[in-house]
């Protein structure tokens, strides 16, 4: 009898609450009913997220960034079923959003597992598999005014690479402003922490038997080149010289320029102003003071001389620098970011937030 009475009261209270909301007087609903309604609303708002490949370098970072979120529920299979195809398919279709932290081939396969009648699940892929695929949206919200809007409606998002994030972040605004002409043959020199090579390279560098520095990609066919050419709007593949050294996270991406390549009359101040205008409303991308002296005065050099690559470790920030010599007619553009932050897991979380209609800074402001 008591259970029946309680059930009836709950039903009546819920009806009363709905009526009171409709009449704009929710405050007069019974306290217990108001609490019940808030809790059920909260449960409806919590989104399920599946990280496919959560044991890898990027997956672990994404999970860490989401671990304390109350607006999201991370769903994970038992350890012994993490690689089971049927289980992964089930989790992909149960989730509101899936972050694929897998090798290219595995990401391509997993993307086919979304059921044909599932128009709800958002896929965010951290591999290179879909970055220049026009059926996917490139996950660089700051790329243009339209890009963030695209991502807010997208169900297929390709996360940018770490090096391209720096290169595109520096060059796209200058190409769009007409300062760097389309088709200009650029060079990009970059140094990254060894974590960019994944667990295998991390294991090497975390022992005593490793080189102090290494250049690679000397076949000049690095997998990041297509997205660099496409999303910079250059339409020209740059010469890319990546390097790693004995620090775990962080990177500096540098693009040297001769003024002879640029719009006639361009100065360092023009390039700096174009970047400032492009990113004036950005939360995560900031343009630093113009020139070596101003950067030094702002205390942004290590020991007053060195642009340290790991300063932004564990953040989703990127800093852009313009070092110019108008008299000589040369400049070097530099981007500093965390290869596992804005270059990987931070960007994935930012894209996740945007796609799910959540404030894009949520969980990223540490």
């Amino acid at each position: 009898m008591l259970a029946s009475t309680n059930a009836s009261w709950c039903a009546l209270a819920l009806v009363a609450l709905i009526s009171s909301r409709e009449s704009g007087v929710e405050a007069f609903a019974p306290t217990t009913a108001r609490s019940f309604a808030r809790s059920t609303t909260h449960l409806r708002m919590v989104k399920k997220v599946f990280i496919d490949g959560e044991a890898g370098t990027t997956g672990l970072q994404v999970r860490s960034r989401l671990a304390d979120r109350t607006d999201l529920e991370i769903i994970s299979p038992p350890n012994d079923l993490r690689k089971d195809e049927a289980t992964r398919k089930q989790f992909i279709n149960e989730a509101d959003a899936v972050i694929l932290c897998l090798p290219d081939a595995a990401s391509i396969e997993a993307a086919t597992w979304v059921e044909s009648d599932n128009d709800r699940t958002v896929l965010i892929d951290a591999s290179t598999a879909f970055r220049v695929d026009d059926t996917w949206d490139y996950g660089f919200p700051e790329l243009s005014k339209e890009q963030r809007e695209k991502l807010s409606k997208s169900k297929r998002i390709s996360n940018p690479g770490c090096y391209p994030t720096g290169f595109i972040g520096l060059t796209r605004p200058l190409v769009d402003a007409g300062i760097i002409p389309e088709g200009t043959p650029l060079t990009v020199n970059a140094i990254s922490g060894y974590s960019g090579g994944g667990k295998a390279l991390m294991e090497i560098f975390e022992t005593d038997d490793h080189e102090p520095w290494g250049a690679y990609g000397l076949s000049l066919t690095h997998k990041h080149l297509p997205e660099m050419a496409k999303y910079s709007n250059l339409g020209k593949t740059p010469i890319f010289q990546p390097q790693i050294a004995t620090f775990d996270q962080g990177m500096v991406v540098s693009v040297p320029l001769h003024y002879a390549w640029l719009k006639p009359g361009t100065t360092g101040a023009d390039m700096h102003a174009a970047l400032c205008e492009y990113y004036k409303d950005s939360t995560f991308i900031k343009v630093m003071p113009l020139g070596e002296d101003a950067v030094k005065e702002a205390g942004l050099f290590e020991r007053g001389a060195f642009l340290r690559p790991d300063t932004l470790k564990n953040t989703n920030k990127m800093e852009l620098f313009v070092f110019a010599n108008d008299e000589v007619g040369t400049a070097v553009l530099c981007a500093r970011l965390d290869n596992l932050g804005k270059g990987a897991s931070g960007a994935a979380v930012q894209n996740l937030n945007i796609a799910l209609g959540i404030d894009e800074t949520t969980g990223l402001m540490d």
Side-chain angles (χ1 to χ4, degrees):
M1 181 68 178
L2 181 59
S4 175
T5 302
N6 282 342
S8 298
W9 182 89
C10 285
L12 288 170
L14 189 55
V15 170
L17 176 63
I18 293 169
S19 298
S20 68
R21 279 191 167 176
E22 288 176 348
S23 62
V25 288
E26 178 187 353
F28 293 99
T31 302
T32 306
R34 293 203 306 271
S35 299
F36 173 75
R38 289 192 190 104
S39 64
T40 55
T41 299
H42 174 70
L43 288 173
R44 287 197 300 271
M45 291 174 63
V46 171
K47 302 289 189 179
K48 292 183 179 181
V49 178
F50 173 43
I51 306 166
D52 195 6
E54 66 176 20
T57 305
T58 299
L60 288 169
Q61 287 256 334
V62 170
R63 187 178 179 91
S64 175
R65 289 176 181 275
L66 299 180
D68 296 328
R69 296 273 293 267
T70 57
D71 57 333
L72 302 174
E73 176 191 355
I74 301 174
I75 57 173
S76 300
N79 283 339
D80 59 337
L81 294 176
R82 271 195 307 110
K83 297 183 179 181
D84 178 71
E85 182 176 314
T87 301
R88 290 167 59 210
K89 285 182 181 178
Q90 176 189 335
F91 274 75
I92 284 173
N93 286 284
E94 179 184 344
D96 294 289
V98 178
I99 302 179
L100 302 174
C101 301
L102 303 166
D104 287 19
S107 279
I108 292 169
E109 181 180 33
T112 67
W113 293 344
V114 179
E115 295 170 356
S116 59
D117 61 348
N118 179 358
D119 59 358
R120 173 184 52 84
T121 299
V122 177
L123 295 186
I124 299 171
D125 179 47
S127 79
T128 63
F130 301 105
R131 288 182 187 159
V132 293
D133 186 329
D134 288 336
T135 65
W136 288 61
D137 292 304
Y138 194 59
F140 194 156
E142 300 89 353
L143 186 68
S144 68
K145 292 179 181 178
E146 298 76 29
Q147 197 67 15
R148 185 175 277 99
E149 182 66 20
K150 280 185 181 179
L151 296 173
S152 72
K153 300 174 182 177
S154 181
K155 299 298 182 184
R156 300 291 182 271
I157 298 173
S158 57
N159 221 47
C162 52
Y163 291 118
T165 296
F167 177 75
I168 295 164
L170 289 166
T171 57
R172 173 66 176 260
L174 303 185
V175 174
D176 285 0
I179 291 174
I180 300 178
E182 292 182 26
T184 302
L186 298 181
T187 297
V188 52
N189 309 299
I191 189 161
S192 172
Y194 57 77
S195 58
K199 284 187 172 181
L201 193 62
M202 291 171 70
E203 288 175 3
I204 293 171
F205 271 84
E206 287 168 4
T207 67
D208 292 331
D209 185 23
H210 61 77
E211 57 272 42
W213 170 92
Y216 66 103
L218 297 174
S219 66
L220 304 180
T221 57
H222 195 282
K223 63 183 181 179
H224 285 163
L225 287 170
E227 65 187 290
M228 287 181 174
K230 180 172 182 176
Y231 296 108
S232 65
N233 272 353
L234 278 167
K236 182 78 172 180
T237 302
I239 295 175
F240 179 36
Q241 298 179 295
Q243 305 134 55
I244 55 168
T246 54
F247 57 95
D248 60 349
Q249 287 175 235
M251 63 178 12
V252 171
V253 179
S254 303
V255 180
L257 297 171
H258 285 283
Y259 284 20
W261 302 341
L262 310 179
K263 177 183 176 182
T266 295
T267 65
D270 295 329
M271 289 182 273
H272 187 261
L275 291 172
C276 287
E277 176 63 22
Y278 208 86
Y279 297 113
K280 64 182 180 182
D281 297 322
S282 175
T283 299
F284 297 113
I285 301 179
K286 299 299 180 186
V287 182
M288 299 295 103
L290 170 61
E292 182 181 34
D293 290 343
V295 170
K296 183 176 181 179
E297 185 176 342
L300 296 170
F301 283 140
E302 185 79 5
R303 288 189 291 278
F306 301 107
L307 190 60
R308 183 168 176 157
D310 60 350
T311 301
L312 300 179
K313 180 178 176 178
N314 294 325
T315 77
N316 193 50
K317 299 175 183 177
M318 181 161 69
E319 296 175 344
L320 305 182
F321 299 82
V322 176
F323 299 105
N325 187 322
D326 291 342
E327 184 177 345
V328 176
T330 56
V332 176
L333 311 176
C334 295
R336 175 162 66 182
L337 64 153
D338 181 1
N339 59 296
L340 296 184
K342 185 61 172 165
S345 64
V349 172
Q350 185 180 358
N351 288 321
L352 174 73
N353 289 340
I354 293 170
L356 294 181
I358 301 167
D359 184 328
E360 72 182 85
T361 66
T362 304
L364 293 171
M365 295 305 289
D366 294 341

